[in-house]
Amino acid sequence: MKDYSLYDDRSQMLHYIDRYPKSFTRTPAEPLIERPLTLTERTGPVGLFGCGPLNLAAPKGVRATGQLITVKGRVMDEDGSPIRGAVIELWQANSAGKYIHAMDNHQAPIDPNFTGEGRLVTNEEGEYEFFSIKPGAYPVLESGWWWRPPHIHFSIFGVSWMDRYVTQIFFPGEPLNETDLLLNGVPDKETRNRLIFDFTDTTMGEINSIGYKRDFVLRGHRRTPEVD
Ligand SMILES: [Fe+2]
């Protein structure tokens, strides 16, 4: 198996986050058990190329309510080489900050034209692209004070099924980014910025949208922090 340079722990999310009780239950209390790596653990999705850009903004043909955005980027190994055929699963709130989920108790409307979830596959260059609407902020009701800033959840399967990588990407210039317990659960500011989209082009014409870009490095010292 290939060697790679390990990341600095300060570049990743803290295991225990003050004022966020869930962080105390999601970290193993016991040492991890090493399991043998068989063919099942070393292999993953193959032959899934050929998907075009995913359209979350109009999954049923009618455009969802909200600001249309175009999101693109690359999925890479620690040396910058592309992860081809990586399966990316996405989920996000609608423009009012509402998920279609039984546990979402926020008093905000569901958009009948927006499911907020989708799946795509990276191309030969490790690139992905999708259209969506900018998600709204939403309150963490049990906290009594905390509002999550707009963000999109990403789950990425790399070269093996055991490589599932999960994170959240945030939008630049959002005031709520300053107080978000998860984003600020990454101690190092420079690496925290790897969790924020870069603003890119606006487009006008057939599609009017604001462009955002975010690359993912799945391991090594430049690894994009995981946020779950
Ligand atoms: Fe969320």
Side-chain angles (χ1 to χ4, degrees):
M1 187 167 280
K2 189 176 176 183
D3 290 331
Y4 60 97
S5 54
L6 285 173
Y7 53 76
D8 181 336
D9 276 347
R10 286 186 52 80
S11 73
Q12 303 297 311
M13 196 165 77
L14 294 168
H15 291 169
Y16 303 109
I17 298 173
D18 191 32
R19 295 189 292 168
Y20 183 42
K22 283 183 186 167
S23 69
F24 289 81
T25 59
R26 70 176 175 216
T27 302
E30 301 288 331
L32 299 180
I33 298 170
E34 198 166 325
R35 55 184 288 175
L37 291 177
T38 67
L39 194 61
T40 306
E41 285 77 30
R42 291 176 183 274
T43 53
V46 293
L48 298 175
F49 304 109
C51 300
L54 174 70
N55 190 352
L56 290 180
K60 299 173 184 172
V62 181
R63 187 189 181 289
T65 299
Q67 172 63 61
L68 191 61
I69 59 173
T70 305
V71 181
K72 58 178 76 171
R74 288 180 72 223
V75 181
M76 294 179 281
D77 207 338
E78 74 276 15
D79 59 2
S81 56
I83 308 284
R84 305 176 176 93
V87 176
I88 301 179
E89 294 174 318
L90 314 158
W91 61 101
Q92 65 166 91
N94 69 19
S95 60
K98 180 80 174 176
Y99 289 98
I100 299 177
H101 193 282
M103 290 180 66
D104 188 331
N105 297 316
H106 179 29
Q107 314 89 321
I110 284 174
D111 182 345
N113 299 310
F114 189 73
T115 62
E117 59 186 19
R119 181 185 292 130
L120 51 77
V121 179
T122 59
N123 67 14
E124 277 290 336
E125 306 302 321
E127 296 166 331
Y128 71 90
E129 179 174 359
F130 64 94
F131 302 110
S132 189
I133 51 94
K134 185 177 177 184
Y138 60 84
V140 181
L141 295 173
E142 62 271 25
S143 73
W145 68 273
W146 177 18
W147 275 71
R148 302 291 330 278
H151 60 274
I152 298 178
H153 296 259
F154 288 80
S155 163
I156 303 175
F157 286 109
V159 293
S160 105
W161 292 116
M162 297 296 283
D163 285 345
R164 189 180 183 212
Y165 165 94
V166 178
T167 199
Q168 302 176 22
I169 301 297
F170 300 78
F171 288 78
E174 292 288 332
L176 292 171
N177 287 349
E178 304 303 318
T179 52
D180 189 60
L181 293 182
L182 297 186
L183 177 58
N184 293 285
V186 177
D188 182 72
K189 187 172 187 327
E190 190 276 323
T191 46
R192 207 181 302 149
N193 287 335
R194 297 177 197 164
L195 294 172
I196 298 175
F197 288 119
D198 287 327
F199 178 77
T200 59
D201 308 326
T202 54
T203 64
M204 285 191 206
E206 200 171 320
I207 298 175
N208 301 314
S209 74
I210 296 178
Y212 293 98
K213 184 173 181 298
R214 174 49 43 202
D215 292 340
F216 295 94
V217 179
L218 298 192
R219 71 177 185 181
H221 70 280
R222 295 190 303 123
R223 183 175 190 255
T224 310
E226 284 200 82
V227 174
D228 56 16

